[in-house]
Amino acid sequence: MIDKSHIGAVVSSHTQLVEAGRLRFFAKATGQADPRYSDETAARDAGYPGLPVPPTFLFCLDMEAGGSGSVLKRLNIDLGRILHAEQGFTYHRMAFAGERLSFETKIVDIYDKKGGALEFVVRETRVTNGAGELVAELRNSLVVRN
């Protein structure tokens, strides 16, 4: 059983620069047809200071800096035993290319089902901009098969 004393623990804290090239690549890879996500001029014409961050891109920035990996390492969970359970996003303001965003991830719950055959780890990540304003809250649950 996963030790529930980890609930409340900060498992990852990092800062990422949002790069315009990465946003263009992500928009293309996800089939985003809106030119505001890939063309600086279209973004500025729409009133944005730069390319906006597309939905779910924040999760990618968190993952590449070890968001999920840090949870697995802390809890000593084998990657081969996990499944993705759910994911949710609450957006508070837009983020744009050129911004430096800070991510802080905490384990907010650990529980089991089916007599411990399945254990769930829930983590939440707060994303803030350089001014300390809340940009988004990311919530992710994974299932550990025992």
Side-chain angles (χ1 to χ4, degrees):
M1 296 296 284
I2 300 172
D3 184 353
K4 293 183 180 183
S5 71
H6 294 283
I7 295 172
V10 174
V11 293
S12 177
S13 183
H14 58 90
T15 300
Q16 298 279 89
L17 176 65
V18 179
E19 300 173 4
R22 301 263 331 269
L23 292 178
R24 285 189 199 90
F25 180 79
F26 186 83
K28 182 178 180 182
T30 57
Q32 181 56 256
D34 187 335
R36 293 177 294 179
Y37 290 99
S38 56
D39 182 305
E40 296 268 352
T41 302
R44 293 193 195 289
D45 288 348
Y48 298 142
L51 295 178
V53 172
T56 72
F57 184 75
L58 296 174
F59 185 71
C60 295
L61 288 176
D62 188 42
M63 288 272 302
E64 80 178 18
S68 290
S70 59
V71 171
L72 299 179
K73 184 176 179 176
R74 180 182 185 104
L75 301 178
N76 196 30
I77 297 172
D78 176 23
L79 180 63
R81 294 179 34 221
I82 67 164
L83 299 169
H84 179 75
E86 71 175 316
Q87 181 173 321
F89 304 87
T90 302
Y91 296 99
H92 299 279
R93 69 176 307 280
M94 292 186 75
F96 300 94
E99 285 190 286
R100 189 167 295 280
L101 301 177
S102 296
F103 295 73
E104 182 179 87
T105 301
K106 289 182 181 180
I107 296 172
V108 296
D109 200 7
I110 299 170
Y111 61 94
D112 65 271
K113 291 186 177 182
K114 297 191 177 196
L118 300 174
E119 293 183 277
F120 293 76
V121 178
V122 183
R123 68 185 179 105
E124 290 182 353
T125 304
R126 288 178 51 86
V127 182
T128 55
N129 63 16
E133 299 167 318
L134 184 60
V135 172
E137 295 165 291
L138 318 178
R139 185 173 174 93
N140 175 270
S141 298
L142 58 90
V143 180
V144 180
R145 299 174 293 123
N146 292 317

